Amino acid sequence: MRKSIVAGNWKMNMGLKEGIALFSEISELVKVEVKGNQGVVICPPFIHISDLVQSLTANDKLAVGAQNCHQSDSGAFTGEVSASMLSSAGAVYVIIGHSERRLYFSESNVQLAQKLDVVLKNGLIPIFCIGETLEQRNDGSYFDVIKSQLTEAAFHLAEADFSELVIAYEPVWAIGTGLTASPEQAQEIHAYIRTQVAEKYNQTLANDLTILYGGSCNPKNASELFAQPDIDGGLIGGASLKARDFVDIIKALDQK
């Protein structure tokens, strides 16, 4: 049975004290209220990672991840952070290929393939993001976009390495816009991703792959989205900055 996960992407928000306080509030609410076995991941800014990891206890259901890393092990890349650095700080997950990285920092599928390689080499779990823009959705090319993102960035991986990935489907047109893909639209793409993985590797791997929805998920729509057979959780942006909202989204997976 594949794992269900809710991951919070804090983006460039929260000072250190505020981040520690929010993490602690989320952790306590999860301990008391979350009854299922779903994974909970917090991906804060880099400056928080070590402190949040150190605050974890044996009973915590939370894991800490990062929002990005460089594709090189080390070197003269001022301002960048390597996968080995993230691992040394205690991170378990790292988001790769978020639509904002693709848009604002021009990350290509070739570059993302390199990032996946170095992340896996360092024993981290990639949350690999794919998804189409509004223009691509409207012109009907979104299946081709999803297929090319998988093929060019991830399908070079050996089966054992690909099985370590978590995929996050981000309809780019629904991120930070207040728009949300309908449950049927989201399910259609999640099922398509699973079909592509089955064709490339095998059906067992496709069935076991965790695929998250990442487009304006909130406490009001989470249950309906998570009820879809191929949606295994969410990559949550703005709602992850409010402990109550984030935990309510996590609880929507209790019925999965």
Side-chain angles (χ1 to χ4, degrees):
M1 182 179 295
R2 57 184 178 261
K3 187 173 184 179
S4 297
I5 295 173
V6 174
N9 176 14
W10 288 1
K11 306 190 180 183
M12 196 175 71
N13 294 292
M14 307 297 289
L16 185 57
K17 287 184 179 179
E18 294 84 359
I20 292 172
L22 176 59
F23 188 79
S24 177
E25 186 179 1
I26 291 170
S27 177
E28 289 305 312
L29 287 172
V30 167
K31 287 177 184 176
V32 173
E33 299 185 16
V34 175
K35 307 304 180 184
N37 294 319
Q38 58 268 46
V40 181
V41 181
I42 301 294
C43 296
F46 292 132
I47 66 163
H48 298 70
I49 292 174
S50 181
D51 288 271
L52 298 191
V53 168
Q54 290 178 33
S55 73
L56 289 170
T57 67
N59 295 325
D60 277 311
K61 297 181 179 180
L62 277 62
V64 178
Q67 299 173 20
N68 181 44
C69 73
H70 196 268
Q71 64 268 28
S72 298
D73 287 319
S74 61
F77 303 105
T78 301
E80 293 291 332
V81 174
S82 71
S84 62
M85 291 175 181
L86 297 176
S87 179
S88 73
V92 176
Y93 292 81
V94 56
I95 299 171
I96 297 296
H98 191 280
S99 59
E100 291 161 0
R101 297 294 310 179
R102 294 176 185 263
L103 175 62
Y104 301 134
F105 300 94
S106 302
E107 291 189 351
S108 68
N109 288 328
V110 172
Q111 186 179 8
L112 297 177
Q114 296 170 338
K115 289 192 176 193
L116 288 177
D117 288 342
V118 75
V119 166
L120 290 164
K121 174 184 173 183
N122 283 276
L124 296 166
I125 301 171
I127 301 176
F128 178 55
C129 301
I130 57 178
E132 80 280 6
T133 64
L134 181 59
E135 180 181 6
Q136 292 161 340
R137 164 62 59 168
N138 288 338
D139 69 17
S141 65
Y142 51 95
F143 284 130
D144 292 335
V145 171
I146 297 297
K147 184 174 183 177
S148 66
Q149 289 172 339
L150 286 168
T151 300
E152 296 173 17
F155 278 175
H156 69 288
L157 295 170
E159 180 181 330
D161 287 333
F162 190 91
S163 69
E164 298 297 317
L165 268 62
V166 172
I167 302 290
Y169 166 58
E170 301 182 292
V172 181
W173 47 274
I175 297 174
T177 64
L179 300 173
T180 306
S182 70
E184 294 76 20
Q185 287 174 318
Q187 166 60 25
E188 178 184 44
I189 298 297
H190 281 236
Y192 178 74
I193 292 168
R194 228 175 278 286
T195 297
Q196 292 301 304
V197 172
E199 290 180 0
K200 170 62 180 178
Y201 297 100
N202 56 70
Q203 191 63 55
T204 298
L205 193 158
N207 290 343
D208 290 343
L209 179 67
T210 296
I211 309 177
L212 311 180
Y213 173 74
S216 296
C217 184
N218 59 60
K220 293 181 179 179
N221 61 27
S223 293
E224 192 174 9
L225 285 164
F226 296 165
Q228 301 301 310
D230 288 297
I231 298 179
D232 304 312
L235 176 59
I236 314 300
S240 70
L241 298 173
K242 300 176 182 178
R244 181 71 270 161
D245 285 355
F246 187 56
V247 173
D248 284 345
I249 292 170
I250 297 167
K251 289 168 64 178
L253 273 174
D254 280 343
Q255 291 80 39
K256 187 71 175 178

